[in-house]
Amino acid sequence: MSNPSRDALIARLPKAELHLHIEGSLEPELLFALAQRNGVSIPFASVEAVRAAYSFSNLQDFLDIYYQGMSVLQTEQDFYDLTWAYLERAATDTVRHVEIFFDPQGHTERGLAFETVLDGIERALRDGEVKLGISYRLIMCFLRHLSEDAAFATLDQAMPHIDRIHGVGLDSSEVGHPPSKFQKVFAKARELGLHVTAHAGEEGPPEYVHEALDLLQVERIDHGNRALEDAALVRRIADEGLTLTVCPLSNLRLCVIKDIGQSPVRKMLDLGLKATVNSDDPAYFGGYINDNFRAIADALDLSEAEIVKLAENSFTGSFLPMADQIQHLAEITEVAGG
Ligand code: ADE
Ligand code: ZN
C-alpha cells in the first residue's frame, strides 16, 4: 500500500545508482528526435508506437529492441544529450553519485569511433558533477554474446583512455555465455587496476554467480537474483559483504519475477545481504530509481529503516573512497533523522 511519509523519505534520501546502462536511459522522445536529427530510419511511426513495443517476455526480447534503439546514437553530441538527460532526471530523484555502464561494442560494431562514445558520455558526466553535484564512475561493459577476443579488442581501444574508465562489467545475453568465457580479459582488467563487476544470476543459474566470484573476482554482483537458490552461495555473499545491484522494475518487465512482490530485495534484506535498488534501463522498464524504491516499498511493505539501509548500501557498495562514503552516510542520517 502506498504510504505518503515513506514516499517522502524516498524522495528526500540521498542515494547512489550503481546499475544503470546509459543506453537504456534513451527515452522514446529523444530516440525520435535523434533519429530525425541524424536521418536514421526507425520502424516506429510515433513515440506511442515505440512505447507500445516495450513489452518483453525475457531478457533477449528486450536486448533486441535495446540494440536497435542504439542505432540513432551517432555523434559525440548525441551521447552527451543522452547522458545529460539521464543526469537531470537522476538529480530530481536526489541521486548524488552514479556508476554508469556503457556498451562500446554496441556502437563500434556500427562503425562509430570508441572516442565518440566515451567523449560524449564523459563530457556530460563532468558537467553533471559541476552543475548538478552528481559524482560519477564509468564502467565499460563487454557484451557477453560476443567473443572474448572481441572484448580484448575493446579493451585495446580503451587503452589510450584507460585513466577515464574506472571499471569493467559484463552484460547482454546471459544464458549460454558464462563468466568463465571472459576469465582472461577480466584478469587483464584487474591487472590494469580497474574495478570489476558482472551481471550474474539475472536469468543464469547460481553457478554463474560462483564463476563471477571465483573466476572474474568481481567486487559486486549485478542482479544476483538466482544466487538465492544456493544456500552456500548466500552465506558466502553475506560473509564477504558483497553488494548486489538489484533492479526491481527491470526484473518485473523482463519476467524474471511474476509480480513486484517477488522482488528478491525482501529476502536479501532478511538474509543480511547488501542489496541496492537501481533502475537498469529506465526508459524501457517504466521507472527511474525512486520509482523502483516506491514500487518495492509498497509491495514488500519496507520499513523506513529498511529504506534508509538500502540508501546506505548504495554508497557503501559504491567505488567511492571511504571518506566520501562517510560524508554521504552522514547526509543520510541527517535527512532520515530530520
Ligand atoms: N544490457 C542492458 N540491460 C541489461 C540487463 N538487464 N541484463 C543484461 N544486459 C543488459
Ligand atoms: Zn543491467
Side-chain angles (χ1 to χ4, degrees):
M1 265 235 310
S2 167
N3 172 331
S5 93
R6 200 166 51 189
D7 288 354
L9 176 67
I10 292 168
R12 285 200 318 272
L13 272 179
K15 51 193 80 73
E17 178 141 61
L18 306 181
H19 186 150
L20 182 282
H21 302 263
I22 197 62
E23 296 90 344
S25 71
L26 179 59
E27 290 287 346
E29 289 77 6
L30 183 58
L31 185 145
F32 244 77
L34 294 180
Q36 281 197 335
R37 184 155 104 187
N38 294 322
V40 174
S41 77
I42 48 170
F44 303 107
S46 64
V47 164
E48 292 69 39
V50 180
R51 283 229 156 76
Y54 290 177
S55 167
F56 316 110
S57 49
N58 55 40
L59 174 59
Q60 193 59 50
D61 253 14
F62 155 69
L63 289 169
D64 293 343
I65 294 242
Y66 169 79
Y67 293 122
Q68 195 177 53
M70 280 184 202
S71 66
V72 302
L73 296 162
Q74 296 282 337
T75 67
E76 191 263 6
Q77 187 65 44
D78 297 341
F79 286 94
Y80 179 93
D81 292 346
L82 171 72
T83 308
W84 182 251
Y86 163 69
L87 290 169
E88 279 198 307
R89 182 64 185 76
T92 69
D93 280 354
T94 355
V95 171
R96 300 276 195 258
H97 176 71
V98 293
E99 301 198 347
I100 285 184
F101 295 131
F102 73 119
D103 284 333
Q105 289 161 296
H107 313 297
T108 53
E109 285 229 316
R110 306 184 277 117
L112 300 198
F114 184 90
E115 289 73 17
T116 302
V117 181
L118 176 62
D119 290 353
I121 295 172
E122 191 197 44
R123 185 160 62 87
L125 288 170
R126 289 159 87 113
D127 277 357
E129 196 150 43
V130 174
K131 296 180 184 162
L132 303 170
I134 299 178
S135 56
Y136 71 90
R137 296 290 183 272
L138 191 52
I139 302 174
M140 176 174 83
C141 282
F142 301 121
L143 298 183
R144 68 200 305 159
H145 67 274
L146 301 178
S147 68
E148 188 176 47
D149 282 350
F152 266 114
T154 301
L155 189 55
D156 282 346
Q157 288 177 312
M159 280 312 287
H161 317 286
I162 207 69
D163 54 323
R164 298 158 64 191
I165 292 166
H166 307 98
V168 297
L170 187 65
D171 65 0
S172 195
S173 321
E174 186 179 10
V175 174
H177 303 285
S180 52
K181 184 176 159 187
F182 296 92
Q183 190 171 352
K184 294 193 203 77
V185 75
F186 268 68
K188 177 78 197 291
R190 289 198 316 275
E191 265 171 44
L192 291 166
L194 294 169
H195 287 292
V196 288
T197 183
H199 285 53
E202 181 183 19
E203 286 187 344
E207 185 53 37
Y208 284 21
V209 181
H210 279 289
E211 282 193 11
L213 294 172
D214 294 333
L215 306 181
L216 306 187
Q217 298 178 35
V218 294
E219 296 160 75
R220 296 201 285 252
I221 298 160
D222 298 315
H223 294 295
N225 298 51
R226 294 196 58 192
L228 297 178
E229 296 169 22
D230 180 330
L233 182 56
V234 166
R235 264 195 308 279
R236 177 178 182 185
I237 293 169
D239 289 348
E240 295 182 15
L242 287 160
T243 300
L244 300 143
T245 64
V246 182
C247 306
L249 291 172
S250 164
N251 287 168
L252 182 66
R253 297 291 282 266
L254 299 185
C255 306
V256 169
I257 54 177
K258 286 200 185 69
D259 67 76
I260 198 73
Q262 288 182 352
S263 170
V265 170
R266 168 88 279 152
K267 218 167 171 186
M268 289 174 180
L269 288 175
D270 291 347
L271 288 164
L273 304 185
K274 195 193 273 192
T276 62
V277 176
N278 306 272
S279 67
D280 205 7
D281 301 282
Y284 292 89
F285 301 146
Y288 286 77
I289 190 167
N290 283 3
D291 299 311
N292 276 272
F293 265 95
R294 279 193 298 271
I296 57 164
D298 292 347
L300 308 179
D301 200 24
L302 295 182
S303 67
E304 297 205 346
E306 286 171 324
I307 291 164
V308 169
K309 181 77 187 157
L310 289 165
E312 289 172 346
N313 289 348
S314 74
F315 291 107
T316 58
S318 77
F319 297 143
L320 281 169
M322 188 65 79
D324 293 2
Q325 293 184 22
I326 289 169
Q327 274 193 1
H328 288 294
L329 294 180
E331 199 198 343
I332 288 178
T333 305
E334 208 175 289
V335 168

